[in-house]
Amino acid sequence: MSKVSKLAPGVALCLVIAVPSWLLGKKFPIVGGAVFAILIGMVIAIFYQNRNKTKDGITYTSKKILQYAVILLGFGLNLSEIARVGATSLPIIISTIATSLIVSFVIHKLLAVPSNISTLVGVGSSICGGSAIAATAPVIGADDEEIAQAISVIFLFNVIAALIFPTMGNALGLSNQGFSLFAGTAVNDTSSVTAAASAWDGMHPGAGALEEATIVKLTRTLAIIPITLVLALRQTAKAKKAGGEAKGSFSLTKIFPFFILFFVLASIITTVSVSAGVDASVFSPLKELSKFFIVMAMGAIGLNTNIVKLIKTGGKPIAMGFCCWVAIACVSLGMQHLLGIW
C-alpha cells in the first residue's frame, strides 16, 4: 500500500491531464490527444514547482504506463489482414523505413543532433509516430525531454501531411490504391493517416482508401519489433564495451525490451481469436485503452519537460524531421512508380 500511496498523486495528476486531452484529441484528430497532453503538461510544469509528492507517480506514468500502452497496441493488429495487404505494401514499407533511418543517421552526423533524439525522430518518422517513439524510448534510455522533442517534430509534419497529401495525390493522378499506399507509408501517425485517407475518400466517394491505408499503416507498426530488438542489442554491446559486464552491473534483462514480446503475444491472440470467429470489435476497448495510456504518458512527459529549453534546441530536430519526411514521401511515390501501382 505504501508504494500505491507513493505513486497515486502523480498518476492522478497525469490522469487529470489525460481526460481533457483525450476528449480534445477526439474532437481534433488531426492534432491528437498525445500532443494536447504534452502541451498541457508543459504549461503546468512552468507553474508547478513542488513536485515531491507527484514525482514518483509522474515517472511511473511516463515509463511503465507507456510500456503497457505499447503492449495493448498489439490487440489492434490482425496479422492475417496485414499479410493480405502486406504483399503489395512490404517493398514500399521496407524502402521508406530504411530511407528514414539512413537520413536521420546522416543528419545526426552532419548537424550533431543528439543520438537519442536522432533515433526517436528516425524511428517515429519511419514506423508509426508516437507509438514507435513510445516503444523505442525505454530501450535506448531516452529522457522525457528527448521524447517530447521527437513527438513535437513528428506532430508538425503529421499535420502538414494530413492537410496537403490528399490534394497532392490528386494533382499527381494517384489511383485509390496508390493513395492508400502513399498515405499508409508516408504519413507518420495513425490518426494523421486516418485524416488524410478520410479526406481522399471525401474527394473520391467509394474509394475505400481509409481501410487500405490503415492496414498498410498497421503493417508498418510491426517494424517496431525488429527495430527495438536491434536497438536492444546495440545497447547491450555498448554496455559490454563500457565494462558493465566485468563490473557485475550489466544485465541483459534490464536492457532487453520484454514488453515487445507481450506486444507480439497480443497480436497473435487477436489474430487467432478473429480467425476462430471472434468479432474483432471485442478488442476495441483494449485498443482504446492503449491510446488513452499513451495520452496519459505524454502528459507525464510534458510535466517533466522544460518548454523553454525545448524551443531553444528545436531547430536541428525539426530540420531532421523535415528531411526524413520529404525523403519518405519521395521514396514512397518512387517505389509505387517502379512497381507500376501508380
Side-chain angles (χ1 to χ4, degrees):
M1 287 299 293
S2 59
K3 185 178 180 181
V4 173
S5 60
K6 196 175 181 182
L7 296 177
V11 173
L13 176 59
C14 296
L15 185 61
V16 168
I17 293 172
V19 171
S21 300
W22 171 262
L23 296 174
L24 285 168
K26 290 287 186 182
K27 191 170 182 63
F28 304 100
I30 195 172
V31 177
V35 173
F36 281 118
I38 283 184
L39 294 175
I40 293 171
M42 287 192 294
V43 170
I44 291 174
I46 297 172
F47 306 100
Y48 183 55
Q49 300 301 324
N50 187 12
R51 304 189 183 198
N52 292 332
K53 290 185 178 180
T54 57
K55 181 181 177 182
D56 291 333
I58 291 171
T59 301
Y60 177 84
T61 304
S62 69
K63 305 298 181 187
K64 289 295 183 181
I65 288 184
L66 193 58
Q67 292 183 20
Y68 299 151
V70 174
I71 293 170
L72 291 173
L73 186 67
F75 288 104
L77 295 175
N78 184 337
L79 300 179
S80 59
E81 280 294 299
I82 287 171
R84 179 178 67 83
V85 178
T88 303
S89 62
L90 196 58
I92 302 173
I93 289 171
I94 292 173
S95 301
T96 53
I97 288 174
T99 297
S100 179
L101 295 177
I102 291 169
V103 169
S104 64
F105 178 77
V106 171
I107 301 298
H108 158 64
K109 292 295 185 182
L110 290 177
L111 299 181
V113 181
S115 178
N116 280 353
I117 291 178
S118 300
T119 301
L120 294 177
V121 171
V123 170
S125 298
S126 62
I127 301 176
C128 55
S131 299
I133 291 171
T136 304
V139 179
I140 64 174
D143 63 35
D144 287 349
E145 287 193 353
E146 290 168 333
I147 296 171
Q149 189 96 70
I151 289 283
S152 300
V153 170
I154 296 301
F155 158 70
L156 173 62
F157 296 107
N158 272 342
V159 172
I160 296 173
L163 291 174
I164 72 170
F165 275 12
T167 303
M168 181 191 297
N170 231 12
L172 292 172
L174 289 177
S175 64
N176 293 328
Q177 183 188 16
F179 185 79
S180 298
L181 287 169
F182 181 48
T185 55
V187 183
N188 301 331
D189 198 74
T190 304
S191 59
S192 296
V193 171
T194 301
S198 296
W200 179 269
D201 283 347
M203 296 163 66
H204 306 83
L210 178 57
E211 181 182 351
E212 291 295 310
T214 302
I215 295 173
V216 172
K217 180 67 183 61
L218 293 176
T219 305
R220 277 172 70 192
T221 302
L222 285 178
I224 287 176
I225 300 166
I227 290 293
T228 50
L229 293 179
V230 167
L231 289 171
L233 291 173
R234 182 184 171 200
Q235 293 296 100
T236 300
K238 281 184 177 180
K240 286 183 177 180
K241 190 175 181 180
E245 192 172 38
K247 296 175 185 176
S249 60
F250 172 72
S251 172
L252 179 61
T253 58
K254 290 182 180 179
I255 293 175
F256 189 82
F258 285 101
F259 66 95
I260 291 297
L261 298 183
F262 291 109
F263 165 83
V264 175
L265 180 61
S267 303
I268 293 172
I269 289 171
T270 300
T271 304
V272 172
S273 299
V274 172
S275 299
V278 176
D279 194 328
S281 63
V282 168
F283 298 101
S284 295
L286 295 175
K287 288 160 57 180
E288 288 300 303
L289 184 59
S290 168
K291 295 173 184 176
F292 184 78
F293 276 177
I294 288 179
V295 172
M296 235 181 120
M298 292 305 117
I301 286 166
L303 288 168
N304 283 336
T305 300
N306 185 328
I307 191 170
V308 176
K309 183 179 177 182
L310 188 69
I311 293 170
K312 285 182 178 179
T313 59
K316 291 180 180 180
I318 289 173
M320 173 181 283
F322 174 76
C323 292
C324 288
W325 180 62
V326 171
I328 288 172
C330 291
V331 169
S332 177
L333 292 171
M335 285 295 294
Q336 284 195 54
H337 185 70
L338 287 175
L339 295 171
I341 299 171
W342 194 319

